[in-house]
Amino acid sequence: MATLQLSLQNFPSTPTLSSLLRPPKSGRITHLPPRLLLSRTPAFKPHTKNSKWVVRCNLVDQIPPKSTLDVGRLVDFLHEDLSHLFDEQGIDRTAYDEQVRFRDPITKHDTISGYLFNISLLRELFRPEFFLHWVKQTGPYEITTRWTMVMKFALLPWKPELVFTGNSIMGINPETGKFCSHVDLWDSIQNNDYFSVEGLWDVFKQLRFYKTPELESPKYLILKRTAKYEVRKYAPFIVVETSGDKLAGSAGFNTVAGYIFGKNSTKEKIPMTTPVFTQKFNSESPKVSIQIVLPSEKDIDSLPDPEQDIVGLRKVEGGIAAVLKFSGKPIEEIVQEKAKELRSSLIKDGLKPRNGCLLARYNDPGRTWNFIMRNEVLIWLEEFSLE
């Protein structure tokens, strides 16, 4: 999102208040009077060892001991209002204090007018798609949201896709009942303080050119993007498949391609899609399947039968997959190393990868320069939660 993290160094405070708010080495404030301490859920703490303590709003020292503020109403409001973040209607500015603090790792605004201008600029340059996963109350005067934002940079000829996932922590002014601060934390970086060089580099890395053909692909939503991989939720899709020889091999491709080119019971020609999948089902077995995804409007019961017994149709139920993207010619040694790297990262992060993996190849190797090829290694996950 267009908002970023707010730390003590970003706005003035009296020496007395500054010393009160300075966290001890443990990273937890324990010596503030109750009326000065806003609740903070540990799960949403910035991912940096040296992160400054996040201040929700400049009225923190004016919070009354009791408040009749209906935070549940604001949770419901955000569910509806944030759906208009980048459309023509826009968000409701009357829900924010005029001097609201907005921060993310590379942007800051101190007024609602500045923030709304930045949203308008993002809409023009990036055509963002915003997906809100959940909204929860995480403190007496705090609401946290979980989101995905996908943008295409229209000013570059290849229109690169930029993906950000993370949490927004919304501070509430109990006197006005309006939002007085908005802090974004990205999943892809450790240092979420403003100004984060790591955050800027994260943006630049996503500007590189991957050639993705303008063909239909399986539908998915990116739930989380880390520095090393994406977690995607795939909708069900249908594949035509046959046996292959190895992950990066091409054996069997002409056989499954023949099915969509008319070698089927009705001689129907079916539009080409992307990517071509090669799946290894188990690390202990040499069995490999090479697959072409069929268009989403096709139903497995109405598809023509393959002419050859070695070709089959199968519905993939979809689910949650971790994905590592890379460029270059996908030779077997590189693919195996990428799969090993991805599995290791998932286990380190406490996720549960299933056996096997898939290689997704998006480009015709005979017509695409190696350095702009888009390849992906996918591993299905046993379970995944955004909580």
Side-chain angles (χ1 to χ4, degrees):
M1 293 173 63
T3 59
L4 302 185
Q5 183 169 353
L6 174 61
S7 62
L8 290 176
Q9 65 184 1
N10 299 125
F11 59 92
S13 60
T14 65
T16 302
L17 181 58
S18 177
S19 62
L20 281 174
L21 291 177
R22 186 178 300 116
K25 293 182 179 180
S26 66
R28 181 175 178 85
I29 297 178
T30 58
H31 56 279
L32 289 179
R35 73 187 189 91
L36 294 182
L37 187 59
L38 282 178
S39 170
R40 178 173 179 79
T41 304
F44 306 116
K45 194 171 183 178
H47 306 296
T48 171
K49 296 179 180 179
N50 300 316
S51 179
K52 306 288 192 302
W53 186 256
V54 176
V55 176
R56 298 290 179 260
C57 64
N58 61 351
L59 296 175
V60 64
D61 58 342
Q62 301 176 25
I63 293 177
K66 296 182 179 179
S67 175
T68 59
L69 180 66
D70 186 355
V71 179
R73 180 187 62 81
L74 291 177
V75 169
D76 293 338
F77 166 79
L78 285 177
H79 269 293
E80 167 60 24
D81 193 58
L82 289 178
S83 66
H84 301 292
L85 185 63
F86 293 107
D87 65 18
E88 292 301 321
Q89 176 178 321
I91 60 173
D92 184 357
R93 68 175 295 154
T94 64
Y96 297 82
D97 282 344
E98 284 298 322
Q99 300 304 313
V100 65
R101 314 302 205 198
F102 291 95
R103 298 291 185 271
D104 74 14
I106 58 173
T107 308
K108 68 174 181 177
H109 298 282
D110 294 322
T111 66
I112 183 62
S113 296
Y115 178 61
L116 292 176
F117 173 78
N118 193 64
I119 290 176
S120 177
L121 188 64
L122 288 176
R123 186 168 62 240
E124 292 300 319
L125 294 181
F126 293 97
R127 303 292 192 270
E129 292 183 275
F130 180 75
F131 305 92
L132 184 64
H133 301 300
W134 51 253
V135 183
K136 297 178 182 179
Q137 179 177 357
T138 49
Y141 306 106
E142 177 182 284
I143 295 174
T144 300
T145 70
R146 178 77 194 179
W147 46 264
T148 295
M149 187 168 69
V150 181
M151 308 187 295
K152 291 188 181 296
F153 192 23
L155 294 183
L156 293 177
W158 60 95
K159 295 179 175 55
E161 182 177 89
L162 285 74
V163 178
F164 300 93
T165 67
N167 294 104
S168 294
I169 303 175
M170 316 282 288
I172 306 167
N173 181 346
E175 293 190 344
T176 64
K178 298 182 178 184
F179 296 109
C180 60
S181 67
H182 183 153
V183 178
D184 277 5
L185 308 176
W186 298 352
D187 296 322
S188 53
I189 62 176
Q190 295 294 313
N191 179 17
N192 273 280
D193 285 332
Y194 177 82
F195 178 81
S196 172
V197 174
E198 184 187 6
L200 185 62
W201 177 240
D202 184 61
V203 173
F204 279 130
K205 285 191 301 183
Q206 296 188 73
L207 296 178
R208 68 158 300 159
F209 181 29
Y210 284 105
K211 183 175 177 58
T212 303
E214 294 183 0
L215 300 172
E216 183 180 352
S217 296
K219 301 295 188 295
Y220 63 81
L221 172 63
I222 300 172
L223 301 178
K224 185 174 184 179
R225 175 182 162 268
T226 73
K228 295 184 177 180
Y229 58 87
E230 294 177 355
V231 177
R232 300 175 182 171
K233 182 177 182 179
Y234 275 88
F237 56 92
I238 300 170
V239 298
V240 54
E241 64 181 342
T242 193
S243 297
D245 55 353
K246 53 186 178 180
L247 268 176
S250 58
F253 174 76
N254 288 336
T255 302
V256 289
Y259 174 84
I260 66 172
F261 293 150
K263 291 184 178 181
N264 53 63
S265 59
T266 62
K267 309 302 180 184
E268 178 186 356
K269 293 185 178 181
I270 300 172
M272 186 66 182
T273 63
T274 192
V276 173
F277 284 122
T278 312
Q279 182 169 9
K280 188 174 180 63
F281 295 92
N282 193 312
S283 58
E284 305 299 324
S285 170
K287 181 182 178 182
V288 172
S289 167
I290 189 162
Q291 308 161 0
I292 292 179
V293 180
L294 298 180
S296 58
E297 71 270 11
K298 296 295 183 180
D299 181 86
I300 194 165
D301 295 327
S302 60
L303 282 165
D305 295 325
E307 286 185 352
Q308 299 173 283
D309 292 339
I310 58 173
V311 177
L313 299 172
R314 179 166 61 92
K315 182 177 181 180
V316 179
E317 294 302 329
I320 308 297
V323 182
L324 187 155
K325 184 186 293 187
F326 64 101
S327 61
K329 188 174 182 179
I331 61 175
E332 188 71 14
E333 293 78 6
I334 292 177
V335 174
Q336 294 286 358
E337 184 60 33
K338 295 295 183 182
K340 182 179 178 181
E341 177 186 339
L342 176 57
R343 187 172 296 274
S344 176
S345 296
L346 296 175
I347 293 173
K348 182 179 179 181
D349 291 345
L351 300 177
K352 297 180 180 179
R354 294 182 185 176
N355 288 331
C357 65
L358 294 93
L359 169 65
R361 288 174 282 187
Y362 284 79
N363 312 112
D364 182 342
R367 300 180 181 181
T368 312
W369 291 328
N370 290 347
F371 71 93
I372 61 172
M373 281 186 172
R374 176 182 174 181
N375 310 301
E376 295 172 346
V377 169
L378 296 84
I379 297 179
W380 295 107
L381 300 180
E382 291 289 350
E383 56 187 43
F384 180 75
S385 174
L386 281 173
E387 299 298 321

